[in-house]
Amino acid sequence: MMRHLISAADLTRDDAVLILDTADEMARVADRPIKKLPALRGRTICNLFFEDSTRTRISFEAAEKRLSADVINFAAKGSSVSKGESLKDTAQTLEAMGVDAVVIRHGASGAPYRLATSGWIDAPVINAGDGTHQHPTQALLDAFTMRRRLVGKDEGLGKDLSGKRITLVGDVLHSRVARSNVDLLHTLGAQVTLVAPPTLVPVGVDTWPCDVSYDLDRVLPKSDAVMMLRVQRERMNAAFFPTEREYSRRYGLDGERMAKMPEHAIVMHPGPMVRGMEITAEVADSDRCTVIEQVANGVHTRMAVLYLLLGGNEPAVTHTRPTGSEEK
Amino acid sequence: MSKTLIRGAKVLGGEPQDVLIDGATILEVGTGIEAGDDVTVVEAEGKILLPGLVDLHTHLREPGREDSETVLTGTRAAASGGYTAVFAMANTFPVADTAGVVEQVYRLGQEGGYADVQPIGAVTVGLEGKKLAELGAMHESAAGVTVFSDDGKCVDDAVIMRRALEYVKAFGGVVAQHAQEPRLTEGAQMNEGVVSAELGLGGWPAVAEESIIARDVLLAEHVGSRVHICHLSTAGSVEIVRWAKSRGIDVTAEVTPHHLLLTDELVRSYNPVYKVNPPLRTERDVMALREALADGTIDIVATDHAPHPHEDKDCEWAAAAMGMVGLETALSVVQQTMVETGLLTWAAVADRMSVKPAEIGQAKGHGRPVSAGEPANLTLLDPAYRGVVDPAGFASRSGNTPYEGRELPGRVTHTWLRGRATLVDGKLA
Ligand SMILES: [Zn+2]
């Protein structure tokens, strides 16, 4: 395993499969009455959030606590980052306090990379979302969800997503989720198609390991999973598309469109869902929609990442053990 | 007055010759010139002698950001890099948009004595792009401003740009445009393309530069004025300037050393030392710029020397200041990218880095031939030198160089400003 997790592109196929397999072990812990492992006892992890994201922060915090780590939550929102001094200063403060890992969320693309490479800090850095760049643990939890649903809960162990056809729909241009998913899904052998209005597809996308289409209806019948991306309403003012209604008509997912997907195909969304424009209530509430699972899987996957990055050499959970003391 | 004999230097890269300086003037150029008792002799075998370099695009930061650079430290950096004259951009605090500010900068240059400082006046009040600054008053001031620019910002209002181009005709001034369509570059962080898409950094499309250049050359043609385009960075910009020149439009253009060498691939490091405006572009652009400088489509090399204190760069990419220092490495980068690639002779380097910039900016006494009777503004460099760039040794107050740790060829050993040595054996005098 690598020292930091900055980008999904840094993961090899074997690294990624190891994380997914470890996440599966972690998921089993969640089914136990006592959902806690001693793996990171005595280790201190700081959740350094320069940008608000309660969901991601809570997910990491749950993962850290289930591994028995000590958790420091640092919300830097409101502090001056105009000169970026606060990132460096904060990093050095954390270094002085002896934290063992930093989970960082930042509005600026590349901030976690800077943190990991500038010499400001020694601890492993885990990117919890930076600007419009990457959100690797989101991609991992998405892949984990897909593997469980499309390959199988137990059958999936050790496997990747070879041959699966995954479609990402929406604001690719501003989406770190899209970037991370394209990288990781490609590494895992899936075929990825991006669907968006041309204004929301980045210049230079032709070098990405995926296809691009402007026509959702044509892609749906060939998709094993359709992942809807968040479209922020303020994009409308910047003329990325004419109206909400037109966007919804061309790129929104409703029941009629969902019916074009193969029987087994799933609908994904990184959340929080804005029902209406990008996804209708009918789709969001259907059992093909994995949003709630994704949230649960987020904790398992982040446990796996933290465990592996913080030096877990042995399997996190020994399941060969006949009757462990913690299993009553 | 003191005399100096530069012995055996290749003048403009030609055959070795001796150059005798008497006071502020070149007394004699020839072979076998005898050194008298009162003559300081500089042995220059293997070295190249050029007219003192002239930078049409320098940020000296004074007044207002003396923590980055002052006129004195900036001109000392200039002398270290072989420059004898620099044009100081107007984006200071306060902005150089009045006779008072440009005179202050001009006088600081004179007092320092390391390089002639020719202030550039702002085109519009406060660089706001709305109202013409007192261009005539700045021209008539002691500073004698001839070049006007809102550099750092584009004069994007077509009417204001037209008026500026027309107005300066009255006294032979020139408007130097920082070509950047503001709406197309909102939130821009780096060149828009493959790398920006991957890094998730706001893209700065080439067309944002090219569309303004296209508009401005047409405006210059329409009103019969001349226009200078700052720091071209794209292959498309080159094409437009080439077309404009072929059409007879009075346009000149500059390229920075960093745009001749570095590409946006370097931004993958997220190291803000590579954050600059206009941004580093692609390999294809770099090659087009080199070719254009060689064939004369691009007239000059200008440094866009942009000093920033360490803390403004030691942070995440988005928060970092844009710009890099360039005075002390410019000639080395040009040697590597243009001379050692066979694209330019040393005589052509003299043209692009001294003669033409002096002409465009009307820097009197600079960019003159190395011959008897001319002002002794000279630069001597050792082209065989190879060294690793270490900003700790810079005379500039700032060290934000993209070349730190890189090996670059060539080293300026001596600079003379009107016969006075400002740099001797690589050390400021
Ligand atoms: Zn500029």
Side-chain angles (χ1 to χ4, degrees):
Chain A
M1 276 293 285
M2 62 236 297
R3 232 172 81 65
H4 308 282
L5 180 58
I6 307 297
S7 167
D10 301 338
L11 293 167
T12 63
R13 185 231 171 241
D14 289 350
D15 280 344
V17 170
L18 173 65
I19 294 171
L20 300 186
D21 287 352
T22 308
D24 249 309
E25 296 179 16
M26 298 299 177
R28 270 173 229 134
V29 175
D31 295 336
R32 299 179 188 174
I34 295 167
K35 301 178 175 32
K36 226 167 158 137
L37 289 176
L40 299 184
R41 186 174 289 152
R43 316 293 289 275
T44 304
I45 301 175
C46 180
N47 299 319
L48 180 56
F49 275 56
F50 287 85
E51 189 183 72
D52 251 350
S53 174
T54 312
R55 295 166 61 96
T56 304
R57 210 249 306 138
I58 289 176
S59 179
F60 269 105
E61 194 173 340
E64 289 149 7
K65 287 183 169 162
R66 281 189 196 172
L67 291 169
S68 304
D70 294 321
V71 180
I72 301 171
N73 283 312
F74 184 89
K77 199 183 164 246
S79 61
S80 161
V81 288
S82 62
K83 275 188 170 182
E85 281 166 315
S86 91
L87 176 60
K88 183 183 177 184
D89 293 349
T90 309
Q92 290 179 336
T93 304
L94 296 177
E95 176 81 346
M97 287 175 176
V99 303
D100 296 295
V102 177
V103 173
I104 176 174
R105 168 81 153 218
H106 203 290
S109 300
Y113 184 86
R114 275 295 269 168
L115 188 63
T117 58
S118 58
W120 299 333
I121 194 168
D122 237 8
V125 174
I126 297 154
N127 183 0
D130 63 327
T132 52
H133 177 222
Q134 281 275 335
H135 194 358
T137 59
Q138 176 73 43
L140 284 162
L141 79 87
D142 291 335
F144 181 78
T145 307
M146 288 178 215
R147 195 175 76 166
R148 281 202 152 190
R149 281 282 200 128
L150 302 175
V151 185
K153 197 171 168 184
D154 297 316
E155 301 77 33
L157 281 174
K159 296 214 178 92
D160 57 21
L161 294 168
S162 291
K164 300 298 170 202
R165 292 166 303 181
I166 319 291
T167 302
L168 308 183
V169 187
D171 185 356
V172 175
L173 181 62
H174 303 98
S175 176
R176 51 191 170 210
V177 176
R179 280 175 180 74
S180 323
N181 266 290
V182 168
D183 289 335
L184 183 65
L185 293 171
H186 172 71
T187 300
L188 289 172
Q191 286 175 262
V192 182
T193 304
L194 301 173
V195 179
T199 48
L200 290 173
V201 175
V203 168
V205 78
D206 40 307
T207 61
W208 292 12
C210 61
D211 296 321
V212 177
S213 168
Y214 309 134
D215 186 346
L216 181 57
D217 290 302
R218 282 178 52 184
V219 179
L220 286 176
K222 296 175 284 183
S223 302
D224 297 306
V226 175
M227 186 185 301
M228 305 306 290
L229 303 167
R230 279 270 279 123
V231 178
Q232 288 170 348
R233 288 207 153 90
E234 60 262 32
R235 304 285 179 228
M236 262 173 42
N237 305 328
F240 285 103
F241 48 87
T243 63
E244 206 170 306
R245 195 174 56 168
E246 175 160 323
Y247 180 87
S248 180
R249 199 176 284 162
R250 292 174 64 82
Y251 300 99
L253 193 61
D254 57 10
E256 208 180 308
R257 279 217 166 98
M258 188 167 65
K260 294 184 180 170
M261 295 163 48
E263 288 275 298
H264 67 273
I266 55 172
V267 175
M268 306 180 72
H269 195 293
M273 279 187 291
V274 181
R275 292 163 191 242
M277 184 161 85
E278 67 218 28
I279 194 163
T280 63
E282 185 190 1
V283 177
D285 297 332
S286 84
D287 56 8
R288 302 172 78 170
C289 183
T290 61
V291 173
I292 302 299
E293 267 170 76
Q294 285 171 267
V295 173
N297 291 342
V299 178
H300 314 323
T301 312
R302 287 172 178 129
M303 285 172 79
V305 166
L306 289 164
Y307 176 75
L308 292 167
L309 275 188
L310 284 172
N313 294 321
E314 303 154 19
V317 189
T318 320
H319 23 234
T320 46
R321 192 168 44 191
T323 43
S325 54
E326 48 193 327
E327 285 174 353
K328 296 262 161 67
Chain B
M1 279 298 271
S2 64
K3 285 186 184 173
T4 303
L5 178 65
I6 306 164
R7 191 142 58 191
K10 297 176 182 172
V11 176
L12 305 190
E15 288 303 307
Q17 287 190 292
D18 304 332
V19 176
L20 183 62
I21 300 170
D22 184 7
T25 313
I26 298 172
L27 187 66
E28 195 184 347
V29 179
T31 45
I33 298 176
E34 294 287 324
D37 292 342
D38 57 339
V39 175
T40 308
V41 178
V42 175
E43 297 294 349
E45 202 183 326
K47 293 184 182 175
I48 312 265
L49 189 68
L50 302 176
L53 307 183
V54 176
D55 189 15
L56 198 65
H57 193 146
T58 308
H59 296 275
L60 292 179
R61 304 296 187 214
E62 188 176 8
R65 280 310 298 268
E66 290 83 357
D67 57 327
S68 308
E69 194 82 284
T70 64
V71 172
L72 182 62
T73 60
T75 50
R76 284 166 65 90
S80 295
Y83 287 86
T84 51
V86 296
F87 283 74
M89 274 299 173
N91 62 338
T92 49
F93 304 96
V95 171
D97 58 2
T98 62
V101 180
V102 293
E103 283 186 356
Q104 180 196 354
V105 172
Y106 176 71
R107 294 225 163 86
L108 286 167
Q110 288 199 312
E111 284 163 21
Y114 281 93
D116 285 348
V117 174
Q118 184 55 57
I120 291 174
V123 177
T124 66
V125 176
L127 309 176
E128 282 174 354
K130 296 194 175 85
K131 196 175 174 300
L132 287 183
E134 289 189 349
L135 309 176
M138 287 190 274
H139 176 71
E140 284 162 17
S141 75
V145 176
T146 54
V147 181
F148 299 90
S149 181
D150 277 0
D151 183 60
K153 284 184 172 175
C154 179
V155 181
D156 68 306
D157 183 318
V159 171
I160 296 285
M161 188 60 187
R162 173 194 172 149
R163 299 287 183 246
L165 288 169
E166 286 176 314
Y167 194 81
V168 300
K169 282 204 290 181
F171 44 85
V174 64
V175 176
Q177 176 69 293
H178 171 120
Q180 181 189 353
E181 213 290 319
R183 283 281 279 157
L184 284 173
T185 52
E186 273 170 21
Q189 299 278 333
M190 67 171 297
N191 179 47
E192 180 169 83
V194 170
V195 182
S196 68
E198 210 173 290
L199 298 184
L201 290 172
W204 200 308
V207 67
E209 175 174 312
E210 294 154 5
S211 59
I212 293 289
I213 297 175
R215 183 200 72 177
D216 287 353
V217 295
L218 291 172
L219 279 174
E221 178 179 47
H222 183 65
V223 302
S225 187
R226 68 186 179 114
V227 65
H228 176 76
I229 311 294
C230 296
H231 41 52
L232 258 66
S233 71
T234 78
S237 298
V238 166
E239 284 307 306
I240 294 161
V241 170
R242 191 172 281 140
W243 170 83
K245 285 187 166 179
S246 75
R247 201 173 150 95
I249 298 170
D250 200 354
V251 56
T252 52
E254 70 189 34
V255 64
T256 71
H258 47 272
H259 287 111
L260 292 172
L261 179 59
L262 310 175
T263 71
D264 66 352
E265 289 291 331
L266 291 162
V267 181
R268 289 183 192 281
S269 67
Y270 281 111
N271 186 341
V273 80
Y274 300 114
K275 186 172 172 183
V276 65
N277 177 352
L280 301 177
R281 306 285 188 182
T282 66
E283 185 72 16
R284 184 180 150 260
D285 296 304
V286 166
M287 291 306 155
L289 293 165
R290 288 184 187 182
E291 201 180 294
L293 183 64
D295 72 19
T297 302
I298 294 177
D299 301 84
I300 65 168
V301 174
T303 67
D304 194 7
H305 177 78
H308 290 293
H310 182 68
E311 57 272 23
D312 286 10
K313 286 287 194 180
D314 190 27
C315 56
E316 60 272 27
W317 181 274
M322 288 184 284
M324 26 182 88
V325 291
L327 285 168
E328 291 168 82
T329 47
L331 197 52
S332 291
V333 175
V334 170
Q335 181 179 333
Q336 177 172 325
T337 57
M338 301 301 296
V339 179
E340 294 183 355
T341 53
L343 287 164
L344 285 187
T345 61
W346 283 109
V349 170
D351 177 72
R352 310 297 197 275
M353 297 185 77
S354 176
V355 178
K356 285 275 172 54
E359 254 171 46
I360 295 167
Q362 302 172 47
K364 292 181 200 75
H366 293 275
R368 303 291 305 163
V370 182
S371 52
E374 294 289 351
N377 295 319
L378 296 165
T379 292
L380 186 67
L381 71 125
D382 174 8
Y385 178 87
R386 290 287 180 284
V388 172
V389 177
D390 178 7
F394 282 178
S396 171
R397 183 162 283 181
S398 295
N400 50 306
T401 174
Y403 311 115
E404 179 168 7
R406 253 185 207 250
E407 192 185 274
L408 289 179
R411 185 173 75 121
V412 175
T413 62
H414 293 72
T415 308
W416 289 271
L417 175 62
R418 278 183 294 279
R420 180 181 99 81
T422 52
L423 189 78
V424 176
D425 289 327
K427 293 188 183 68
L428 287 162

